[in-house]
Amino acid sequence: MDIQKIREDFPILSRTVYGKPLVYFDNGATTQKPRLVVDSLVDEYYSVNANVHRGVHYLSQQATELHEASRETVRQFINARSTSEVVFTRGTTESINLLVSSFGDEFMQEGDEVILSVMEHHSNIVPWQLLAARKGIAIKVIPMNDKGELLLDEYEKLFSERTKIVSVVQVSNVLGTVNPVKEMIATAHAHGVPFLVDAAQSIPHMKVDVQDLDADFLVFSAHKVYGPTGVGVLYGKEEWLDRMPPYQGGGEMIQHVSFEKTTFNELPFKFEAGTPDYIGTTGLAKALDYVNGIGMEKIAKHEHELTTYALQRLKEIPDMRIFGEAADRGAVISFLVGNIHHFDLGTLLDRLGIAVRTGHHCAQPLMQRLGIEGTVRASFAMYNTKAEIDALVAGIERVSRMF
Ligand code: PMP
């Protein structure tokens, strides 16, 4: 894998910040975009643009073909059985809200239970809490050990006759923990319970195969896997999606409308009310093609090397505290140094051109479990280098000396 060549595909990586070369370590929040993804958006706006699905004219049909070809690219990427199982949304958050609303309305009654984990992103907590307020469902939480690994024995004990669904993140956006979701899904299925995988932080870094996992639902965002903002995916097994009611009403999701009775479109369109971001979906497909072109195994190997190197180098820094020491971990490292406030450390690193994220990372219950308010988080992507990690370590040492 030729990192320098890959970096040339990402124009933003050659810019400076405060006169320093940009070191971009905020990939967990969003990844940068290769030129071919951005070009695809511009090209389609300039040469194809027309609303999809409804037109008899040439452009509309061409735009529709591109949009549906993107759905096929996503299907292959996650190995879904059919494009009927690939619903386009605005992102992970909307995908989860869709699922919670539709599944919750159809299959959950007062007193029913959902199992989440202590390391969920707010996107996989708050929608369930809104449902709890509406319908009186209960939320149960899988605890973790001090290394940041979920306690699978405790997980098993949380199941009851009232458990209707489990929803857990595959890779923690704070701890980097890779949760054993395949095993956890098998446990849920042994109790006759479906499982939603939040793959927002796994899709960019590892092969995710919905059939191999036997996931009932799986969600992710395009912008975290080198694609554009505003597009996401909800994968759902057809047998579930078929039985679920629409989330939003509007154009596209109907078969026939009258004031007496409306019938709904087939999958996946039943869940796609209104004009979709058909140009963004092309961008997503280009991003996935780009990832395939480099090869997920190579990307994973490179990021693993980077993470191992970063952990080793960061641990050389006095008073370094790293949060998350799971045996199986991804390319995310959260830390604090001595008594330096995470916000101060992040701000001073920024002045050195190093972009990291600070704060609670939309995981306040996890912060509570760790007994802290926030961390500094460095998260890596395929284009990051060991030299950039050296720059981060030197930056932290410099800030530490100032305090
Ligand atoms: N889940 C996880 C694990 C995440 O890391 C994120 C983004 N930080 C989300 C959900 C929400 O993704 P989005 O903001 O793209 O909807």
Side-chain angles (χ1 to χ4, degrees):
M1 197 166 135
D2 183 346
I3 306 296
Q4 284 316 316
K5 198 160 157 287
I6 288 173
R7 288 181 71 84
E8 284 164 20
D9 293 336
F10 292 80
I12 207 169
L13 297 179
S14 55
R15 69 162 286 175
T16 56
V17 173
Y18 302 114
K20 311 274 189 327
L22 169 69
V23 173
Y24 187 76
F25 282 158
D26 196 17
N27 296 287
T30 199
T31 51
Q32 298 304 343
K33 318 302 171 199
R35 189 179 275 108
L36 62 84
V37 166
V38 179
D39 284 352
S40 79
L41 307 179
V42 176
D43 288 351
E44 191 169 340
Y45 273 118
Y46 281 160
S47 60
V48 183
N49 182 48
N51 206 334
V52 291
H53 293 143
R54 283 178 283 263
V56 292
H57 63 81
Y58 188 88
L59 288 187
S60 174
Q61 290 187 13
Q62 203 180 353
T64 305
E65 274 166 27
L66 281 171
H67 182 59
E68 292 308 318
S70 302
R71 202 187 300 277
E72 170 59 19
T73 302
V74 172
R75 185 201 68 72
Q76 283 177 25
F77 197 81
I78 60 173
N79 193 30
R81 285 164 207 83
S82 141
T83 50
S84 304
E85 300 183 321
V86 177
V87 177
F88 283 126
T89 65
R90 284 192 301 122
T92 304
T93 302
E94 188 177 55
S95 296
I96 297 176
N97 276 278
L98 187 168
L99 186 282
V100 172
S101 176
S102 176
F103 183 94
D105 276 354
E106 186 68 17
F107 297 114
M108 297 182 85
Q109 310 301 331
E110 190 176 344
D112 283 345
E113 295 163 359
V114 55
I115 298 177
L116 309 178
S117 90
V118 68
M119 63 179 78
E120 296 312 309
H121 188 278
H122 294 165
S123 294
N124 193 26
I125 300 173
V126 184
W128 297 106
Q129 289 176 328
L130 293 174
L131 183 70
R134 273 202 319 273
K135 291 196 90 167
I137 65 148
I139 297 170
K140 292 192 168 179
V141 182
I142 312 166
M144 67 177 200
N145 63 22
D146 290 339
K147 286 179 165 175
E149 294 162 332
L150 293 179
L151 300 177
L152 298 184
D153 291 348
E154 299 299 319
Y155 165 54
E156 177 106 48
K157 287 184 209 153
L158 294 178
F159 284 90
S160 77
E161 316 79 75
R162 302 306 303 265
T163 309
K164 288 291 170 346
I165 188 165
V166 181
S167 187
V168 170
V169 71
Q170 188 166 19
V171 175
S172 161
N173 67 317
V174 177
L175 306 167
T177 308
V178 180
N179 290 316
V181 288
K182 185 172 175 177
E183 193 182 330
M184 295 175 76
I185 289 169
T187 303
H189 288 173
H191 289 87
V193 173
F195 198 108
L196 164 65
V197 179
D198 175 352
Q201 298 290 344
S202 51
I203 274 280
H205 306 291
M206 60 175 71
K207 177 77 195 138
V208 174
D209 179 328
V210 293
Q211 291 192 64
D212 177 56
L213 293 174
D214 201 16
D216 301 280
F217 305 100
L218 184 137
V219 296
F220 67 94
S221 299
H223 71 95
K224 291 187 199 280
V225 57
Y226 311 102
T229 53
V231 178
V233 170
L234 165 66
Y235 158 81
K237 280 185 187 167
E238 207 164 336
E239 67 211 62
W240 282 111
L241 294 182
D242 253 343
R243 292 152 66 201
M244 283 162 48
Y247 171 52
Q248 295 180 329
E252 202 70 53
M253 48 74 72
I254 52 85
Q255 219 157 40
H256 178 78
V257 178
S258 72
F259 281 109
E260 289 70 44
K261 183 175 167 57
T262 289
T263 51
F264 303 123
N265 205 340
E266 61 197 22
L267 289 176
F269 309 110
K270 180 172 85 175
F271 292 108
E272 294 181 351
T275 299
D277 187 351
Y278 52 86
I279 291 185
T281 55
T282 303
L284 168 59
K286 292 284 176 199
L288 298 182
D289 285 345
Y290 183 80
V291 167
N292 279 334
I294 289 167
M296 191 50 105
E297 275 176 22
K298 285 189 191 157
I299 293 171
K301 183 166 172 285
H302 170 66
E303 291 176 347
H304 182 72
E305 278 168 21
L306 278 181
T307 309
T308 307
Y309 181 69
L311 283 169
Q312 175 209 321
R313 293 270 1 245
L314 288 170
K315 284 178 185 167
E316 291 165 10
I317 298 171
D319 299 326
M320 169 63 65
R321 273 197 296 163
I322 289 172
F323 299 91
E325 302 264 12
D328 194 1
R329 54 141 43 253
V332 179
I333 304 178
S334 275
F335 57 90
L336 287 172
V337 183
N339 293 324
I340 309 174
H341 195 274
H342 51 86
F343 182 73
D344 292 334
L345 183 50
T347 306
L348 291 165
L349 286 172
D350 178 53
R351 301 303 290 201
L352 301 171
I354 303 168
V356 290
R357 188 141 289 246
T358 62
H360 53 61
H361 315 296
C362 295
Q364 279 180 324
L366 175 59
M367 295 298 127
Q368 209 179 341
R369 164 65 178 79
L370 296 169
I372 55 177
E373 275 180 19
T375 71
V376 179
R377 180 186 78 181
S379 49
F380 311 126
M382 64 163 102
Y383 40 63
N384 288 126
T385 65
K386 286 187 178 168
E388 289 181 310
I389 288 165
D390 292 338
L392 171 69
V393 172
I396 297 170
E397 282 169 341
R398 188 164 154 190
V399 175
S400 292
R401 279 196 299 275
M402 282 168 58
F403 276 80

